[in-house]
Amino acid sequence: MLLDLLHLLTTPAPAAQRRLGYLRDSVWLMSRARRCRRAWAPHLEASRAVMRAAIAATERGDTAVVLGSGLLLDVPLADLAARFRRVVLVDAVHLRPARRAIRAFANVETLTADLSGAMALMTGAARDLEPCLPPVCTEPGTGLVISANLLSQLPIRPVERLESSRHPLGAWTPEHGDAFGRRIVEGHLKALAGLRARVCLVTDIDETEEDRQGRVHARHDLLYGARLGNPEREWTWELAPFGEAARNRRLIHRVVAFSDWHG
């Protein structure tokens, strides 16, 4: 708890990310990753393996971009730094463990950006979603763009804010939460599909809540109905083992991965 508070107080983050809860979410995720490191290990290794396949198959070696770089637990940073002249890590917040990790690589840099397209809408600076990718993704020298376990995360905070609000966000009203979430997911996919660079896409797509007898109590579509095509690889991720979210329930996510995704 004290370590989390220290990160909340000392992590450099724009005011909007602090006010909208993105910094708090990042610190919470870091704490869960620490508590669940054994349960998460197979998922993280599978994610890195797909990304390594994409790295090896990419012909242009100038720039690689990682969208949703987070704590870098699922990102083979050393492989990227060795293969590309420049590596750009993009996320809404870059916590200190990630900032420390990149110090070993002179060609790795961070970029703070809103990848959901919803932050300006939530702060009142825009009237609708503005899904976009940072300009580095479309630069001629960019050979690889990785969407790293990001897609299902993009709608979480915006949908929660919309559904808990008494007022609309632009044209979106609280009862339109599912449509809002799907628009965010599809906006990211559309932006990725328009890139000339190779796209590596790794994402969880649904969540199952089950008890100790294996009975399923709930299922959730994390992509709000959006479809990705047939994945190259698929696996399960024990996101919250028994005792993490509830004593006698655990959360299992299904993950799909593409080393060369085409929309």
Side-chain angles (χ1 to χ4, degrees), residues 6-251:
L6 178 64
H7 282 285
L8 284 170
L9 293 175
T10 63
T11 298
Q17 274 85 328
R18 287 182 175 275
R19 181 159 61 89
L20 294 174
Y22 285 93
L23 175 58
R24 185 170 62 253
D25 289 348
S26 296
V27 172
W28 175 85
L29 184 64
M30 178 179 64
S31 294
R32 171 169 278 187
R34 185 170 58 247
R35 293 191 303 270
C36 303
R37 57 185 176 273
R38 180 175 298 179
W40 284 25
H43 160 68
L44 298 177
E45 179 51 41
S47 297
R48 291 190 293 264
V50 173
M51 295 177 199
R52 288 191 179 105
I55 293 166
T58 301
E59 296 180 359
R60 285 178 290 165
D62 186 72
T63 301
V65 181
V66 180
L67 305 173
S69 53
L71 296 167
L72 297 171
L73 299 176
D74 52 354
V75 177
L77 185 60
D79 299 76
L80 285 164
R83 173 68 177 81
F84 294 92
R85 181 188 64 83
R86 178 189 183 206
V87 178
V88 183
L89 307 176
V90 187
D91 216 323
V93 174
H94 300 277
L95 294 180
R96 291 192 182 278
R99 292 176 183 272
R100 285 197 299 269
I102 72 171
R103 291 175 187 167
F105 306 99
N107 60 333
V108 177
E109 61 191 78
T110 61
L111 174 64
T112 301
D114 167 36
L115 295 170
S116 71
M119 193 173 295
L121 177 61
M122 290 190 288
T123 59
R127 289 292 299 165
D128 204 349
L129 292 167
E130 299 178 341
C132 64
L133 298 178
V136 65
C137 293
T138 58
E139 290 178 0
T142 297
L144 175 64
V145 175
I146 300 174
S147 180
N149 287 296
L150 168 70
L151 185 61
S152 69
Q153 302 299 304
L154 294 176
I156 292 176
R157 179 58 61 176
V159 169
E160 286 181 353
R161 189 171 182 86
L162 174 66
E163 292 182 337
S164 64
S165 176
R166 297 180 180 179
H167 307 287
L169 290 179
W172 300 93
T173 56
E175 61 269 22
H176 293 150
D178 285 352
F180 189 57
R182 178 161 182 160
R183 172 79 176 277
I184 292 171
V185 169
E186 290 181 338
H188 185 67
L189 293 174
K190 182 178 179 180
L192 292 177
L195 296 177
R196 294 179 57 191
R198 171 184 287 264
V199 172
C200 175
L201 174 62
V202 182
T203 182
D204 43 356
I205 61 173
D206 60 45
E207 176 183 89
T208 300
E209 179 183 343
E210 63 177 39
D211 63 22
R212 291 183 183 271
Q213 288 70 47
R215 293 186 296 251
V216 174
H217 291 264
R219 293 186 189 276
H220 303 286
D221 180 354
L222 302 177
L223 301 187
Y224 295 90
R227 295 293 176 258
L228 303 177
N230 296 323
E232 296 171 30
R233 290 196 58 186
E234 183 174 341
W235 62 86
T236 57
W237 171 20
E238 190 177 18
L239 177 76
F242 295 114
E244 173 63 23
R247 181 179 179 182
N248 293 310
R249 301 287 176 87
R250 67 174 180 169
L251 301 178

